[in-house]
Amino acid sequence: MRKKTQPTRAPLDTATHAWRGRATTRALMGEDPVLRAAYRLCRRTTRAHDPGIYALIQLMPAILRPAGWALWAAASVLDDLADERGAEWAERSARVEAWTRALKHDLAAGTSTDPIRYALVDTAGRWRLDLSNLEGAMARARDDDHGLRLPDWAAWRAWSNEEIVPWVDQVRQLFEQAGAPMTLRLDRQADYEHFVDGAQLTDILTDLSTDLADGHLLVPQEALEPFPGAEADLVQGRWSPAVAALVAELTALARRRVTRPAMTRGMHPGAATVLDTAAELMRAQLDAIDAAGPTLLKRAPRPSVVARVRVLGPARLRSALAWSLTPLTVPGPRPPVVGVRGPSPEAGGVAGLRPPPPHRDGVRPPQIAAHHMPCHVAVIMDGNGRWAEQRGLPRHEGHRVGTAVAHEMVYGALEIGLRHLTLYAFSTENWQRGTEEITTILEAFQRELDEGPLRDLDVRQRWSGRPDKLPEELVHALRREEHRTRDRTGLTLTICLNYGGRDEIARTAAALAQAAREGEVDPRLLGEDDFARHLPHPHMPDVDLLWRTGNEQRTSNFLPWHATYAELYFTPGYWPDNDRRDLWQAITEYSRRQRRHGAVPASSPPPKTTVRPLAPDLTPGSR
């Protein structure tokens, strides 16, 4: 009897859940008939433009589907505007730019006359999404890819991630806001990045015929070089043995990239089903690419209906069950638009950004010639605890004051025009400290990220370090700020939290070994550039000036790869006793030094007997 009754109940439960899901979806589209029509258009647009994405959105909780349709419909519209056949690039670029500017205006107004933008504005308001992360992707859609040639996989990854990652991050934000975060294992960040690479490579192989017709060959030169003649044959639309071998190699690489079963371990089963199904659909797509042969250069291959049903049928049952057992947060009504901060969209500025506050004494930074300015200053902020103990205070009070000093350094870096500032906040060795002190430090970082005192400055925030041992909430907040500020062009602020220099080198070596095993690099030809490309932040410039406070004169496992040729600068004062003027003094000292990098200067200047400060406010006695 048990076998007979269970199959009867399961379809009823699934059907009930599906009915409730449709009711919730209708409710989230709002009572406004114009808004409901806008969401329906987004649904049709997504389904027509990318059936695979549409199928994945249908695996999401019902309350998230309208938002998913709005996001992907907007991406589809931008893609169509950028790739419109028969239009000159300048015209296509102008249309993308006009659509993007109109979206900024609509977000400020809280409404739109364009149905897809109207749905997107409503989605952003309901789910409290920060769409500023999409600015880079929209700019990428505007740029001309005609004749684009990418030299290696690193350049390809940087180019492709600008297009796909911001949209995926918005979906992750949706899951988080609904109370079912798409939490990735903290030690599987590389798997996530490889998965995104595989998805993009699958998309490029699928659209190869269309891209070639438009003059695009979006495969890096590094991948083409082992197959002589393949590039010329592709440009001419010829299927040859070299092209066949290249496609087979790229298809196998994409398959390895998207097959990351460990990525979803420990994840909510509903979110895991979405990602696992995405991987299965891409493998089915790669099967179709393998089977296409010469027709790959004539039309985009698609997996058979049978293959899609085989993947999607079980996935729908798994996702329906997972979401039926999950309490989710349904957003309330969209908040009213109170006003807009910052420059108007018509001005072309970034809304909400402000200049740093002036120094309390009104002092201004020294004028230093550009060729004497460091590009990258790294700071070991030493002495917080000793500063507090010297005053009879608990050690955590020193860390609280030290946080305010870090803000001062950011303000000073912005004022003097520094491009990169890296702060050593918490090392892998600092776990040996007392539990109370560690807890206080990490809680302070969490408050900083939640309150966002630097949020409105032109600062791109990055994090360097290991996620191990750190609270998951803190890691997610660090990642969130990285994504939120990724398109800012002022100061790049890197916080080294749970960081160790030797650990960074060991992890880079492991990543390089993995790349060699997967055939991405030739171990016999490895050089410094190959190693640098596999660092956690491969585009971080070398450190020009390394400054340590607290009367200690050692580098303490801080940025050993980047600081090989750094000028060292040690000061006796504890970190909480400093402010932006001390950063300016450090940069002034750097500007007086002669950097040789192992070479002999053309002429040696006479030794200096006196050093005159650039301004009275930079001397120690001025405070």
Side-chain angles (χ1 to χ4, degrees):
M1 291 296 294
R2 184 175 301 169
K3 290 182 180 179
K4 193 170 183 178
T5 55
Q6 278 186 332
T8 304
R9 291 184 59 188
L12 285 175
D13 291 344
T14 302
T16 301
H17 175 68
W19 179 84
R20 288 175 180 169
R22 286 192 292 271
T24 305
T25 301
R26 287 196 297 270
L28 279 171
M29 289 193 206
E31 298 299 327
D32 179 2
V34 177
L35 182 60
R36 292 169 69 88
Y39 273 116
R40 286 195 295 269
L41 175 61
C42 289
R43 179 176 186 170
R44 292 194 302 271
T45 302
T46 303
R47 190 171 192 171
H49 196 276
D50 196 328
I53 291 294
Y54 178 80
L56 292 176
I57 291 175
Q58 295 307 102
L59 299 180
M60 292 163 56
I63 60 172
L64 293 182
R65 291 172 196 165
W69 301 331
L71 284 166
W72 246 265
S76 301
V77 166
L78 285 169
D79 192 45
D80 289 342
L81 289 174
D83 295 335
E84 185 178 357
R85 294 280 182 92
E88 294 294 330
W89 171 77
E91 182 182 353
R92 289 183 275 122
S93 177
R95 289 178 182 176
V96 173
E97 179 69 20
W99 201 94
T100 303
R101 285 181 174 272
L103 176 61
K104 291 181 181 180
H105 178 274
D106 295 343
L107 287 168
T111 188
S112 177
T113 56
D114 178 90
I116 288 179
R117 288 202 302 268
Y118 187 22
L120 186 59
V121 167
D122 183 74
T123 287
R126 284 179 187 271
W127 293 101
R128 303 342 187 234
L129 298 183
D130 180 5
L131 297 186
S132 64
N133 288 353
L134 296 177
E135 290 180 4
M138 292 178 179
R140 244 286 284 122
R142 182 193 61 212
D143 294 339
D144 184 16
D145 290 336
H146 186 83
L148 178 67
R149 291 295 182 266
L150 298 160
D152 51 39
W153 284 111
W156 177 89
R157 186 169 295 112
W159 164 82
S160 64
N161 282 357
E162 290 179 3
E163 181 179 29
I164 189 173
V165 170
W167 296 99
V168 174
D169 285 339
Q170 294 296 326
V171 175
R172 290 184 63 197
Q173 284 187 49
L174 283 174
F175 275 88
E176 188 171 313
Q177 295 283 48
M182 191 177 280
T183 306
L184 300 170
R185 283 174 56 109
L186 301 181
D187 58 346
R188 294 294 180 182
Q189 185 67 22
D191 280 339
Y192 169 60
E193 293 169 356
H194 287 164
F195 182 83
V196 171
D197 288 350
Q200 185 73 337
L201 185 54
T202 302
D203 188 57
I204 287 173
L205 289 168
T206 300
D207 295 336
L208 190 60
S209 59
T210 304
D211 288 341
L212 289 173
D214 291 338
H216 308 319
L217 180 54
L218 305 178
V219 177
Q221 294 292 318
E222 183 180 350
L224 294 168
E225 286 172 359
F227 304 94
E231 181 175 4
D233 290 334
L234 283 171
V235 171
Q236 296 297 322
R238 293 192 299 262
W239 184 263
S240 65
V243 169
L246 171 65
V247 169
E249 176 72 18
L250 294 178
T251 304
L253 175 60
R255 197 183 303 278
R256 291 196 300 270
R257 292 294 192 182
V258 300
T259 304
R260 300 283 160 176
M263 186 176 68
T264 57
R265 289 175 190 163
M267 188 181 290
H268 183 283
T273 297
V274 174
L275 285 180
D276 289 340
T277 305
E280 289 187 63
L281 287 174
M282 282 187 280
R283 285 193 290 271
Q285 180 63 42
L286 291 167
D287 290 341
I289 293 170
D290 274 334
T295 61
L296 183 66
L297 303 185
K298 299 178 181 178
R299 58 181 178 273
R302 299 295 177 193
S304 67
V305 174
V306 173
R308 285 173 54 84
V309 169
R310 189 181 297 121
V311 172
L312 293 173
R316 286 168 183 152
L317 293 174
R318 289 196 305 269
S319 65
L321 178 61
W323 299 126
S324 70
L325 300 174
T326 305
L328 297 172
T329 302
V330 180
R334 183 158 52 95
V337 177
V338 177
V340 187
R341 295 176 300 165
S344 66
E346 289 77 9
V350 180
L353 297 187
R354 59 179 172 86
H359 189 273
R360 62 181 179 276
D361 295 337
V363 295
R364 299 294 302 159
Q367 298 296 314
I368 296 178
H371 64 281
H372 286 307
M373 269 288 293
C375 172
H376 186 183
V377 174
V379 186
I380 302 175
M381 306 179 293
D382 198 13
N384 288 322
R386 285 175 288 161
W387 179 90
E389 290 173 342
Q390 193 179 69
R391 289 159 175 75
L393 301 171
R395 288 178 62 87
H396 65 76
E397 185 64 18
H399 296 297
R400 184 189 66 80
V401 178
T403 298
V405 173
H407 297 167
E408 265 287 293
M409 297 304 166
V410 172
Y411 302 152
L414 286 167
E415 286 187 308
I416 202 170
L418 184 66
R419 302 298 300 169
H420 290 264
L421 176 66
T422 299
L423 303 179
Y424 203 5
F426 189 86
S427 74
T428 50
E429 290 81 13
N430 288 152
W431 292 105
Q432 302 174 51
R433 297 186 178 186
T435 303
E436 183 179 358
E437 183 178 357
I438 292 173
T439 301
T440 301
I441 292 172
L442 298 184
E443 287 177 348
F445 275 111
Q446 186 69 57
R447 282 195 304 274
E448 277 284 297
L449 295 166
D450 291 341
E451 296 172 3
L454 307 177
R455 186 166 293 164
D456 295 337
L457 300 174
D458 190 10
V459 176
R460 178 190 181 194
Q461 298 186 47
R462 296 196 303 187
W463 164 50
S464 187
R466 290 188 68 94
D468 311 40
K469 297 185 180 181
L470 292 177
E472 285 197 10
E473 185 180 1
L474 176 57
V475 173
H476 292 317
L478 289 163
R479 297 290 189 200
R480 181 194 67 221
E481 290 305 296
E482 281 190 318
H483 291 308
R484 188 183 62 80
T485 62
R486 61 185 296 150
D487 295 318
R488 297 192 178 173
T489 57
L491 173 70
T492 295
L493 172 66
T494 303
I495 301 296
C496 292
L497 183 64
N498 196 22
Y499 172 88
R502 286 183 174 179
D503 173 75
E504 179 180 61
I505 289 177
R507 284 191 292 151
T508 302
L512 197 57
Q514 180 68 22
R517 189 172 72 176
E518 295 185 356
E520 294 182 21
V521 296
D522 186 341
R524 297 166 299 179
L525 303 175
L526 290 179
E528 291 184 12
D529 290 343
D530 299 293
F531 189 90
R533 283 201 301 270
H534 288 81
L535 286 163
H537 292 293
H539 301 296
M540 176 186 282
D542 284 348
V543 175
D544 297 308
L545 173 65
L546 192 154
W547 169 30
R548 180 170 188 154
T549 64
N551 206 29
E552 302 287 353
Q553 299 190 14
R554 57 181 179 271
T555 58
S556 297
N557 198 23
F558 184 39
L559 298 174
W561 180 269
H562 299 89
T564 302
Y565 291 103
E567 293 291 319
L568 304 181
Y569 180 70
F570 301 107
T571 54
Y574 296 142
W575 178 250
D577 286 327
N578 291 273
D579 70 8
R580 70 186 80 177
R581 291 175 294 181
D582 295 281
L583 173 66
W584 296 342
Q585 181 63 52
I587 292 174
T588 301
E589 171 63 25
Y590 170 88
S591 72
R592 297 180 180 131
R593 296 187 182 182
Q594 187 176 36
R595 309 195 73 198
R596 299 183 179 88
H597 295 289
V600 177
S603 59
S604 300
K608 296 181 180 179
T609 56
T610 60
V611 176
R612 184 174 63 85
L614 295 184
D617 58 74
L618 292 180
T619 61
S622 66
R623 290 179 281 170

